[in-house]
């Protein structure tokens, strides 16, 4: 019994002591750091992390101190893996690093298995995803953001092809893949990839850069690891590739490298002139400025061997992030514990002692606390998104100008390029922010300020193979001269003139397409460009939808569209042609309006205007003569009353509109030629069953049959202007056609020598002719720019006149059916307006007369005895007296009022 009591007492004491030990908060916690000490990033990160640990351990707010265990992996995935195991064996609760993306891939898998958060300040590979590596957290920006900025930079200067120089590892391959994806969104592409080994062997760099000179693109994007020797640009200078014909863009490896240089070394960067690079943006702050001053003191003491760069700032912030997270973790969980992994424990691997590796039981909780941490550090706001990357703070756009490094702008994912930093624009973005893209003036290689074109045709590149239609008809546009085999025509002259404005030499050779006996199909020529048989096609090629899907077109150099050509006749000779402008209804309403105005003006003017008084016959003649003479503005009578003047103003306005419309319509009727067929437009042509002619090789055939669904049996191919004339003259009843559908330029050339045919209406399609190039050919843009210049300076019109105005230019022979007569529908608003004014004036006049008449009768009654006026007399004569009252002159009415107010006294008998 006594032994049992002693045993229970011992167990109780052991449990109490064990529980106390387990619940005790540790004074010091181990954290690990894996990186390459002797590297551009490592030389800044090592002293920065040491300074951060010192600051954390001296901060009274942080109750638990940090013990930083650092291992040098020398950029080796193998060494990095071993170091990770060694650190985890020492029971570290978090690992800072690594800086190399390849090592991060490997160690992230170890961190997943042992649940140790891995927090990197330099591994930018975008494929380090939160789903695959849930314990990987990144305090630097992912290359997915950087490549979006780089693609925006390429698009900002309107370059369409780039050559990428990268290292052949996870960092290089995955970063370039992200760039390719972003460029595709901007309709640009990577034309060539120069993949180099990590060591950047100069002979390999020289060999691959030399080969790239044979390519057309001159925009290089360099995405390698930070290189203090700057071997890419050193070799490029030796190859004379730092001249004004080349453009060099660099990701943030270059800014990290240059920021690490001492001031004395930055004075020898002349060979980098014109290079444009990116740097992760870190906002200016008093905290950052104080640390920069502290860094200078650290250099003087020998604890820092290089200048500070962005990755050094992020390494410092990463230590503080871990410190905050561990302190909060211990506040919540009190202690840190590790447990054996059951799967590892049962593995029998001789000599490796894998079973000693333990799982951090609080790893999930610590990772979640890290992701929830939010504070402002030296590099800016430290806060994580759903991908477990720090929120992007944007990028600085740098330009190396001689010995200085200038910031020419800033980029943010939300607003694009701007001259103000992203942190200064927070809360100020609007819907137009992405439209106001701006960068400061940039100095390009060679000291030039003009934006480089971005591509050239290499010296040893074969000439452009340009396919040219060998037409059999309408040869003024383009054809091959049989005797000399020269290519000539309007389209060729336009192309050669545009080529003169392209700011570089373009070797080319014309290759005829077609046998010269019949017109070739433009669709076949365009397909040969898409199939790389030709590099381009020059000729009378219509820009239509199905062609734009397989080739790129230049700016249209000629406007065109499908029109209908049919026989015409002259309809000038008609004795009653002057009646045609108006419909019968319009004539009737116009005549009624003249009568109405005559009556209204007579009523309004009769009392006050002597011109409208006199015998009834004279008044009737005056009334209608006044109304109709307003048409010719020859009326001798003038209106006196205010109401009459108001009505005349509205009436004269109506007359002005009506006479102008009548004149225009009559002029059109007397000068236009009329159709001799019932076809009035494309609708009537479709509805008919007559045959329709089209030019051989034209896209009109496909348009009529596939878009308008006209039966192909109705479509008749015609190969020359002579066949056009013959088919139209014979007509549908004699084996010809009712009309021809063709493009406007051909029709205008055909009608220039024809009098009996004309165009019906307007073109029912709109389009243009352009030059076809292979997809994404940069020459298409330069030729388009040249065509716009030719149009602006009048050269296009001069070329047109040279070919088609030899006998003098005439206006287009556009014809249509007889113009529609002007009907009441077009003018009813005017007539209602005029009628309303006339009726209102008449009502106002009558109301005024009734009022005057009532006043007059009342005064008359007051001045006479009631017995002298019988009721029957008042009722029977009131209307007659009213009209007599109206017929009186205004002066007579006033006199009658005076007599009623001052009656003459009667004489005494």
């Amino acid at each position: 019994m006594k032994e049992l009591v002693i045993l229970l007492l011992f167990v109780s004491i052991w449990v109490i002591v064990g529980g106390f030990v387990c619940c005790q908060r540790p004074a010091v916690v181990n954290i690990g750091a894996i990186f390459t000490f002797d590297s551009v990033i490592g030389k800044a990160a090592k002293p920065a992390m040491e300074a951060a640990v010192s600051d954390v351990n001296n901060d009274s707010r942080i109750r638990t101190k940090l013990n930083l265990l650092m291992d040098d992996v020398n950029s080796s995935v193998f060494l990095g893996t071993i170091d990770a195991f060694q650190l985890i064996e020492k029971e570290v609760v978090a690992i800072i690093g690594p800086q190399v993306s390849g090592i991060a891939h490997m160690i992230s898998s170890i961190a997943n298995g042992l649940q140790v958060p891995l927090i990197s300040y330099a591994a930018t590979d975008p494929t380090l995803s939160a789903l695959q590596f849930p314990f990987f957290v990144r305090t630097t920006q992912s290359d997915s953001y950087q490549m979006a900025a780089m693609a925006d930079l390429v698009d900002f200067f309107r370059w369409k092809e780039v050559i990428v120089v990268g290292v052949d590892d996870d960092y290089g391959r995955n970063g370039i893949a992200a760039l390719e994806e972003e460029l595709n969104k901007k309709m640009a592409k990577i034309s060539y990839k120069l993949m180099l080994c990590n060591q950047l062997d100069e002979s390999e760099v020289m060999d691959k850069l030399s080969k790239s000179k044979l390519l057309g693109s001159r925009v290089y994007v360099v995405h390698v690891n930070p290189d203090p020797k700057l071997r890419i640009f050193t070799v490029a200078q030796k190859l004379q590739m730092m001249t004004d014909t080349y453009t060099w863009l660099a990701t943030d490896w270059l800014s990290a490298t240059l920021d690490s240089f001492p001031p004395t070394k930055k004075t020898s960067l002349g060979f980098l002139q014109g290079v444009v690079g990116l740097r992760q943006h870190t906002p200016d702050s008093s905290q950052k400025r104080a640390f920069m001053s502290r860094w200078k003191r650290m250099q003087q003491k020998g604890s820092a061997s290089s200048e500070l760069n962005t990755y050094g700032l992020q390494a410092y912030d990463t230590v503080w992030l871990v410190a905050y997270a561990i302190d909060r973790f211990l506040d919540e969980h009190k202690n840190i514990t590790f447990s054996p992994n059951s799967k590892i424990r049962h593995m029998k691997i001789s000599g490796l002692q894998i079973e000693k590796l333990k799982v951090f039981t609080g790893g999930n909780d610590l990772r979640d606390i890290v992701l929830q941490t939010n504070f402002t550090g030296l590099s800016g706001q430290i806060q994580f998104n759903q991908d477990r990357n720090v929120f992007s703070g944007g990028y600085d756009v740098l330009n190396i100008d001689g010995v200085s490094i200038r910031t020419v702008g800033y980029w943010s994912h939300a607003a694009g390029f701007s001259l103000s930093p992203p942190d200064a624009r927070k809360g100020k973005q609007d819907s137009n922010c992405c439209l106001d893209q701006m960068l400061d003036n940039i100095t390009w290689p060679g000291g030039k300020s003009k934006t480089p074109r971005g591509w050239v045709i290499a010296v040893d590149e074969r000439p452009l193979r340009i396919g040219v239609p060998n037409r059999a008809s309408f040869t003024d546009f383009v054809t091959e001269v049989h005797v000399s085999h020269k290519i000539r025509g309007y389209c060729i002259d336009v192309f050669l003139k545009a080529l003169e404005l392209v700011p570089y030499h373009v070797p080319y050779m014309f290759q005829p397409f077609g046998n010269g006996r019949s017109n070739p199909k433009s669709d076949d020529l365009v397909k040969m460009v898409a199939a790389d048989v030709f590099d381009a096609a020059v000729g009378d090629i219509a820009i239509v939808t199905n062609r734009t899907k397989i080739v790129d077109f230049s700016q249209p150099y000629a406007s065109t569209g499908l029109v209908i050509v049919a026989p015409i006749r002259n309809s000038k000779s008609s004795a009653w042609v002057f009646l045609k402008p108006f419909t019968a209804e319009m004539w009737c309403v116009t005549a009624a309006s003249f009568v109405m105005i005559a009556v209204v003006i007579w009523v309004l003017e009769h009392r006050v205007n002597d011109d409208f008084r006199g015998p009834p016959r004279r008044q009737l003649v005056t009334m209608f003569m006044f109304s109709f003479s307003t048409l010719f503005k020859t009326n001798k009578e003038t209106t006196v009353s205010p109401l009459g003047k108001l009505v005349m103003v509205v009436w004269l306005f109506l007359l002005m509109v009506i006479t102008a419309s009548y004149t225009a319509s009559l002029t059109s009727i007397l000068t236009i030629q009329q159709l001799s067929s019932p076809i009035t437009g494309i609708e009537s042509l479709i509805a008919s069953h007559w045959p329709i002619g089209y030019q051989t090789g034209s896209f009109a055939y496909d348009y009529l049959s596939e878009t308008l669904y006209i039966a192909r049996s109705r479509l008749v191919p015609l190969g020359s202007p002579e066949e056009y004339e013959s088919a139209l003259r014979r007509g549908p009843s004699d084996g010809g056609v009712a009309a021809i559908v063709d493009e406007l330029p051909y029709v205008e050339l055909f009608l220039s020598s024809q009098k009996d045919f004309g165009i019906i209406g307007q073109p029912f399609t709109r389009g243009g002719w352009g030059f076809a190039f292979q997809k994404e050919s940069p020459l298409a843009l330069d030729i388009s720019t040249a065509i716009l210049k030719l149009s602006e300076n009048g050269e296009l019109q001069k070329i047109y006149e040279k070919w088609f105005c030899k006998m003098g230019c005439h206006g287009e022979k556009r014809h249509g059916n007889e113009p529609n007569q002007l009907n009441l529908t077009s003018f009813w608003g005017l007539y209602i307006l005029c009628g309303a004014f006339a009726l209102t004036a008449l009502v106002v006049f009558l109301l005024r007369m009734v009022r005057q008449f009532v006043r007059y009768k009342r005064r008359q009654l007051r001045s006479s005895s009631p017995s002298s006026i019988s009721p029957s007399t008042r009722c029977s004569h009131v209307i007659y007296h009213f009209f007599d009252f109206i017929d009186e002159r205004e002066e007579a009415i006033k006199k009658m009022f005076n007599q009623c107010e001052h009656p003459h006294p009667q004489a005494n008998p």
Side-chain angles (χ1 to χ4, degrees), residues 56-73:
V56 168
N57 291 339
N58 291 324
D59 194 321
S60 59
R61 297 172 300 171
I62 307 297
R63 297 169 57 191
T64 303
K65 307 310 177 186
L66 301 180
N67 180 31
L68 179 62
L69 306 174
M70 294 189 289
D71 280 337
D72 185 4
V73 300

Side-chain angles (χ1 to χ4, degrees), residues 351-406:
L352 293 182
Q353 298 181 344
I354 296 294
E355 67 277 0
K356 291 184 178 180
L357 296 177
K358 296 180 180 180
V359 176
F360 177 27
T361 55
N364 279 306
D365 295 326
L366 180 60
R367 178 202 58 194
D368 294 341
I369 293 173
V370 166
L371 295 174
Q372 295 167 11
T373 303
N374 182 2
F375 70 98
T376 301
L378 299 181
S379 60
Q381 192 70 22
I382 305 298
Q383 186 179 3
F384 296 95
N385 58 23
Q386 60 183 4
D387 295 325
R388 295 171 187 167
N389 298 323
V390 70
F391 277 103
S392 174
Y395 285 86
D396 301 343
V397 183
L398 309 179
N399 178 219
I400 303 175
D401 183 7
V403 296
S404 64
I405 302 174
R406 297 188 301 119

Side-chain angles (χ1 to χ4, degrees), residues 509-576:
M509 60 179 181
F510 290 129
Q511 297 181 2
F513 174 71
N515 55 23
R517 294 186 296 274
S518 62
N519 295 330
K521 293 187 67 175
S522 295
D523 276 343
D524 293 341
L525 178 58
V526 170
K527 289 176 182 177
M528 294 184 75
V529 174
D532 199 30
V533 177
F534 297 125
D535 297 306
V538 172
D540 49 342
I541 304 171
I543 304 173
V544 293
T545 304
N546 65 321
R547 296 173 185 172
T548 58
K549 295 177 181 178
I550 58 176
V551 297
D552 284 343
F553 279 95
S554 68
Q555 175 79 13
Y557 63 87
S559 297
T560 183
L562 293 178
V563 294
I564 301 173
V565 182
I568 57 174
R569 60 179 171 81
N570 197 326
S571 63
K572 293 179 184 178
S573 54
S574 173
W576 303 100

Side-chain angles (χ1 to χ4, degrees), residues 213-490:
K213 295 176 69 175
L214 303 177
L215 305 173
S217 178
R218 285 295 181 266
V219 179
Y220 287 77
V221 178
V222 185
H223 182 58
V224 296
N225 292 307
D227 177 25
K229 296 182 180 180
L230 301 172
R231 280 165 285 195
I232 300 292
F233 297 109
T234 303
V235 172
Q237 185 188 33
K238 293 178 181 179
L239 294 174
Q240 297 183 349
M241 296 176 66
M242 299 300 292
T243 60
D244 58 358
T245 58
Y246 290 84
T247 302
W248 292 90
L249 309 177
T251 53
D252 67 343
W253 71 269
L254 181 61
S255 62
T257 302
L258 297 180
D259 289 344
S260 301
F261 285 173
T264 54
K265 193 172 181 179
K266 291 182 180 179
T267 59
S268 58
L269 301 179
F271 67 98
L272 291 178
Q273 185 181 50
V275 176
V276 176
L278 299 176
R279 177 203 284 146
Q280 295 187 48
H281 178 71
T282 56
D284 189 30
S285 65
S286 58
Q287 184 182 2
K288 177 181 173 183
R289 289 192 297 270
F291 189 78
M292 298 288 286
S293 300
R294 178 182 174 187
W295 189 268
K296 297 295 182 183
R297 295 192 297 271
M298 291 168 60
Q299 287 179 305
Q300 294 172 1
K301 294 177 181 179
S303 56
S305 60
S306 77
E307 298 293 327
L308 185 62
N309 56 36
T310 304
Y311 290 104
L313 298 175
Q314 292 170 340
Y316 180 91
D317 290 340
T318 304
V319 173
W320 272 99
L321 169 69
V322 173
Y324 284 133
I326 291 175
D327 200 55
R328 180 180 164 190
F329 175 84
L330 291 175
D331 287 342
E332 296 176 4
H333 300 277
K334 306 302 180 185
N335 202 357
I336 293 173
T337 59
F338 292 85
S339 62
N341 188 309
S342 58
K343 294 181 180 179
I344 295 177
R345 186 173 55 186
H346 293 97
M347 294 177 67
K348 303 298 182 181
I349 303 177
S350 176
L352 293 182
Q353 298 181 344
I354 296 294
E355 67 277 0
K356 291 184 178 180
L357 296 177
K358 296 180 180 180
V359 176
F360 177 27
T361 55
N364 279 306
D365 295 326
L366 180 60
R367 178 202 58 194
D368 294 341
I369 293 173
V370 166
L371 295 174
Q372 295 167 11
T373 303
N374 182 2
F375 70 98
T376 301
L378 299 181
S379 60
Q381 192 70 22
I382 305 298
Q383 186 179 3
F384 296 95
N385 58 23
Q386 60 183 4
D387 295 325
R388 295 171 187 167
N389 298 323
V390 70
F391 277 103
S392 174
Y395 285 86
D396 301 343
V397 183
L398 309 179
N399 178 219
I400 303 175
D401 183 7
V403 296
S404 64
I405 302 174
R406 297 188 301 119
T407 300
V408 295
Y410 304 88
W411 179 90
S412 67
H413 197 271
F417 293 106
S418 172
L419 296 179
S420 56
D423 42 287
R425 301 198 308 273
K426 280 186 178 179
K428 297 181 181 179
Q429 283 96 348
D430 55 31
S431 58
N432 297 321
C433 63
C434 292
L435 302 177
D436 302 327
Q437 303 285 295
M438 292 184 65
L439 288 175
D440 205 350
N441 295 328
I442 293 177
T443 300
W444 299 102
K448 300 295 181 66
S449 58
K450 183 180 179 181
T451 303
R453 184 175 58 254
W455 78 283
V456 296
I457 295 180
V459 176
D460 60 345
E461 190 168 347
R462 59 172 170 75
L464 287 177
R465 303 160 298 172
I466 300 178
V468 177
N470 189 8
R471 296 190 59 88
S473 62
F474 297 107
T475 56
D476 284 345
F477 290 105
V478 60
T479 193
E480 179 187 21
V481 180
H482 296 296
V483 179
S484 62
H485 297 288
K486 290 183 177 180
I487 306 297
R488 62 185 291 275
Y490 164 69

Side-chain angles (χ1 to χ4, degrees), residues 252-253 345 387 543 578 634 714 720 766 779 809 836 856:
D252 67 343
W253 71 269
R345 186 173 55 186
D387 295 325
I543 304 173
F578 67 91
T634 59
R714 292 177 56 192
S720 66
R766 297 286 180 180
L779 187 58
C809 279
Y856 168 73

